[in-house]
Amino acid sequence: TYVVTENCIKCKYMDCVEVCPVDCFYEGENMLVIHPDECIDCGVCEPECPAEAIKPDAEPGLEMWLKLNADMAKSWPNITVKKEPPSDAKEFDGVAGKYETYFS
Ligand code: SF4
Ligand code: F3S
């Protein structure tokens, strides 16, 4: 499965949603997650994310994010159409510590 990681927070560009063939993205207020049981590992979303927030779960160190994607996908609503990204998305690209401050 692929995993949405910290840099999505407050960037939330949603380009990923447009390309996913199985519509397995779920929407929180400040970020999206991928449902790990629905993702078919096609990989097309990874290069589409302007914030480079999507990673294959084979990458080391993503355990926390894999668990967060799995947990949140159970309660957040499915999103299949890209919306308007936050107007200040660029300002948050690459900012450290976004999980602690802004996760929701
Ligand atoms: Fe969707 Fe493919 Fe990305 Fe999985 S890897 S979330 S199936 S676009
Ligand atoms: Fe987030 Fe990137 Fe999608 S910022 S909403 S994972 S395009």
Side-chain angles (χ1 to χ4, degrees):
T1 186
Y2 279 69
V3 181
V4 184
T5 63
E6 182 161 23
N7 207 34
C8 178
I9 298 171
K10 296 285 264 178
C11 287
K12 203 185 182 185
Y13 285 111
M14 294 172 279
D15 298 82
C16 51
V17 166
E18 293 281 286
V19 299
C20 181
V22 295
D23 290 340
C24 64
F25 282 90
Y26 291 78
E27 183 184 19
E29 195 179 326
N30 290 335
M31 79 175 291
L32 303 190
V33 293
I34 292 168
H35 195 313
D37 298 338
E38 296 174 359
C39 174
I40 58 169
D41 256 335
C42 73
V44 299
C45 57
E46 185 184 12
E48 293 300 319
C49 176
E52 296 182 14
I54 302 177
K55 314 277 185 196
D57 75 337
E59 234 176 67
L62 295 182
E63 294 79 9
M64 171 203 158
W65 292 101
L66 179 59
K67 182 174 185 333
L68 184 144
N69 277 241
D71 288 348
M72 297 303 129
K74 287 181 202 151
S75 55
W76 287 353
N78 190 224
I79 174 171
T80 59
V81 178
K82 179 182 159 96
K83 302 174 189 173
E84 193 65 38
S87 55
D88 56 358
K90 262 205 169 75
E91 290 163 38
F92 283 96
D93 192 351
V95 169
K98 289 198 281 185
Y99 174 70
E100 286 76 12
T101 314
Y102 301 112
F103 173 75
S104 61

